[in-house]
């Protein structure tokens, strides 16, 4: 019999809503009977931006499969190449264990969907190292500082707008599943006056109140509007490659996410993200390469 894999299993963390959240249901994968390392999933349309599935959601789906396939629970480093756009509907994930060690295990996974002729088309390929975040030492030596942001009640989400201003765009399905409050200093694009700076900052959480855990951090690094918007560009900004480093298990409470771009050239830009928890700890970092439409 096939087994469903979700946060109810080994990768669960403390939190009243974990396991019952829409995020957990929509990232749950099912082991395929008789085929070790193979998982099935019906990708949810609830995590789309325009007509494409969000890259962070897809990374969390693959991360869920790898957490089951590997002997360690927590993603430490996850690198994904997005080969073709994924769409809501059936998909299969094929995993392979490259190495298992005492403190780290490494594996790879690919997500496939089906073409009209029934053949499999690879959408994403991932290589990742997993470990146990709770086993890491407490010593921290860093020059990194949390982003300076207004309190959450002074920031704006899809249902908010300053008096006399148009509403912050929120027509994408994913907006309904996130508690996302953008720093007004990075909101000029929504008001028709982008700053020209490659910056985006926001308070972040899941709309149903589920506490964040290492797997949902894979979503958090790719859930804000692209920095290209604040640089005066419009349209879809598809991810080419995304690498995430999870540094520690986040404390309960809202996260602060800061994303910056320093170089847009040849139709590509990088986005560097930092995710900070309620205890002012840097819990995740990422860098992605994305394509932009110029002109």
């Amino acid at each position: 019999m096939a087994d469903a894999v979700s946060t109810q299993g080994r990768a669960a963390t403390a939190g009243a809503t974990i396991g019952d959240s829409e995020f957990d249901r929509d990232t749950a994968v099912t082991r395929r009977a008789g085929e070790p390392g193979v998982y099935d999933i019906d990708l949810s349309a609830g995590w789309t931006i325009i007509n494409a599935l969000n890259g962070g959601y897809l990374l969390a789906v693959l991360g869920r499969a790898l957490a089951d396939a590997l002997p360690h629970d927590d993603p430490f480093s996850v690198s994904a190449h997005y080969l073709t756009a994924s769409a809501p509907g059936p998909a299969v994930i094929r995993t392979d264990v490259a190495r298992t060690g005492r403190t780290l295990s490494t594996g790879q996974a690919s997500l496939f969907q089906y073409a009209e002729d029934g053949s499999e088309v690879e959408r994403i390929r991932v290589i990742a190292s997993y470990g146990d975040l709770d086993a890491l030492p407490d010593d921290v030596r860093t020059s990194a500082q949390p982003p300076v942001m207004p309190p959450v009640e002074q920031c704006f989400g899809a249902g908010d707008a300053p008096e006399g201003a148009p509403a912050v765009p929120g027509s994408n399905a994913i907006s309904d599943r996130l508690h996302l409050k953008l720093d007004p200093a990075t909101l000029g694009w929504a008001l028709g006056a982008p700053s020209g700076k490659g910056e985006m900052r926001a308070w972040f959480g899941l709309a149903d109140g589920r506490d964040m855990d290492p797997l949902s951090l894979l979503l958090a690094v790719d859930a804000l509007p692209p920095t290209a918007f604040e640089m005066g560009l419009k349209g879809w900004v598809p991810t080419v490659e995304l690498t995430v480093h999870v540094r520690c298990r986040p404390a309960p409470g809202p996260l602060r996410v800061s994303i910056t771009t320093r170089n847009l050239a040849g139709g590509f830009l990088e986005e560097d993200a930092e995710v900070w928890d309620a205890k002012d700890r840097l819990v995740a970092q990422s860098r992605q390469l994305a394509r932009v439409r110029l002109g």
Side-chain angles (χ1 to χ4, degrees):
M1 173 179 286
D3 297 316
V5 179
S6 72
T7 48
Q8 299 285 15
R10 295 184 299 114
T13 60
T17 60
I18 289 183
D20 299 323
S21 167
E22 189 170 15
F23 173 79
D24 297 314
R25 294 193 298 271
D26 289 348
T27 58
V29 295
T30 302
R31 298 186 194 101
R32 185 177 288 185
E35 297 186 51
V38 180
Y39 302 82
D40 291 296
I41 184 171
D42 192 36
L43 297 173
S44 170
W47 303 88
T48 53
I49 299 176
I50 309 176
N51 295 317
L53 285 163
N54 171 260
Y57 162 69
L58 293 167
L59 196 59
V61 167
L62 286 153
R64 178 86 69 202
L66 281 166
D68 184 73
L70 294 170
H72 291 96
D73 296 346
D74 300 321
F76 275 29
S77 178
V78 183
S79 295
H81 285 264
Y82 294 77
L83 308 178
T84 54
S86 301
V92 60
I93 299 169
R94 302 185 185 279
T95 66
D96 180 63
V97 177
R99 177 187 178 273
T100 60
R102 187 174 62 180
T103 59
L104 284 176
S105 297
T106 301
Q108 61 183 11
S110 290
L111 184 144
F112 298 86
Q113 290 191 299
Y114 303 99
E116 292 184 1
D117 63 1
S119 62
E120 291 185 348
V121 179
E122 188 173 9
R123 303 296 195 196
I124 308 169
R125 186 175 298 188
V126 165
I127 187 166
S129 291
Y130 276 55
D132 180 0
L133 289 169
D134 296 327
L136 297 179
D138 294 331
D139 181 53
V140 176
R141 309 180 195 191
T142 181
S143 61
Q145 296 292 325
V148 177
M149 291 172 51
V152 65
E153 60 269 16
Q154 296 178 20
C155 296
F156 298 93
D160 306 316
E163 184 177 351
V168 177
S171 59
N172 298 314
I174 193 173
S175 300
D176 296 333
R177 283 144 191 87
L178 303 179
H179 181 69
L180 193 64
K181 296 288 186 177
L182 293 166
D183 183 342
T186 67
L187 200 53
W189 60 275
L191 308 177
S195 68
K197 299 178 181 179
E199 298 177 347
M200 201 66 66
R201 292 182 296 275
W203 294 91
F204 178 86
L206 293 171
D208 59 13
R210 176 200 190 275
D211 286 334
M212 302 298 289
D213 65 356
L215 192 70
S216 58
L217 292 176
L218 303 182
L219 168 68
V221 299
D222 193 46
L224 272 60
T227 56
F229 288 2
E230 196 61 350
M231 300 170 79
L233 302 173
K234 298 179 180 180
W236 188 35
V237 184
T239 302
V240 176
E241 186 271 343
L242 172 61
T243 295
V244 185
H245 296 160
V246 177
R247 308 307 302 269
C248 64
R249 194 178 306 280
L255 302 174
R256 285 157 293 170
V257 183
S258 173
I259 304 180
T260 59
T261 292
R262 296 191 305 162
N263 188 52
L264 189 162
F268 293 87
L269 57 76
E270 92 289 344
E271 286 192 338
D272 291 318
E274 293 183 350
V275 183
W276 295 79
D277 73 358
K279 292 185 177 181
D280 286 344
R281 299 180 304 170
L282 181 59
V283 295
Q285 299 165 278
S286 74
R287 167 166 280 199
Q288 73 169 277
L289 182 70
R291 184 188 295 271
V292 295
R293 295 176 180 175
L294 302 175

